[in-house]
Amino acid sequence: SIMEAAKRLGLQVMGSMPFAMGKYFDKWSAEQMLTFCLEEKDIEATICGSKNIEHIKAHIKTAKEKR
């Protein structure tokens, strides 16, 4: 996988756009997608953003609970 190759090369993986601009909200919640990124041992950091302050607060809450 890409993550395994990065690890072999001594690189770190950063998750960007974990919500895929809403593309998969019909399958998973934002919390589920963020939790996947936070619990995946090979992802060092995840960048997620929103224009909605309530969404950001929910992301922070999830991150605090999962890390």
Side-chain angles (χ1 to χ4, degrees):
S1 75
I2 291 173
M3 287 191 275
E4 292 167 341
K7 191 173 189 175
R8 282 194 303 272
L9 293 170
L11 302 173
Q12 295 180 331
V13 175
M14 179 172 41
S16 177
M17 292 178 42
F19 310 125
M21 298 184 75
K23 184 175 179 181
Y24 299 106
F25 284 153
D26 61 329
K27 295 181 181 183
W28 300 290
S29 70
E31 182 179 355
Q32 288 172 312
M33 289 186 269
L34 182 56
T35 296
F36 170 81
C37 291
L38 294 172
E39 292 181 346
E40 174 55 54
K41 64 179 176 59
D42 292 327
I43 297 177
E44 295 294 326
T46 301
I47 298 173
C48 55
S50 175
K51 294 178 183 178
N52 183 315
I53 191 68
E54 296 305 316
H55 290 169
I56 297 296
K57 288 177 182 177
H59 302 332
I60 292 169
K61 181 178 182 271
T62 298
K64 286 180 177 179
E65 291 171 353
K66 302 300 177 181
R67 280 284 173 152

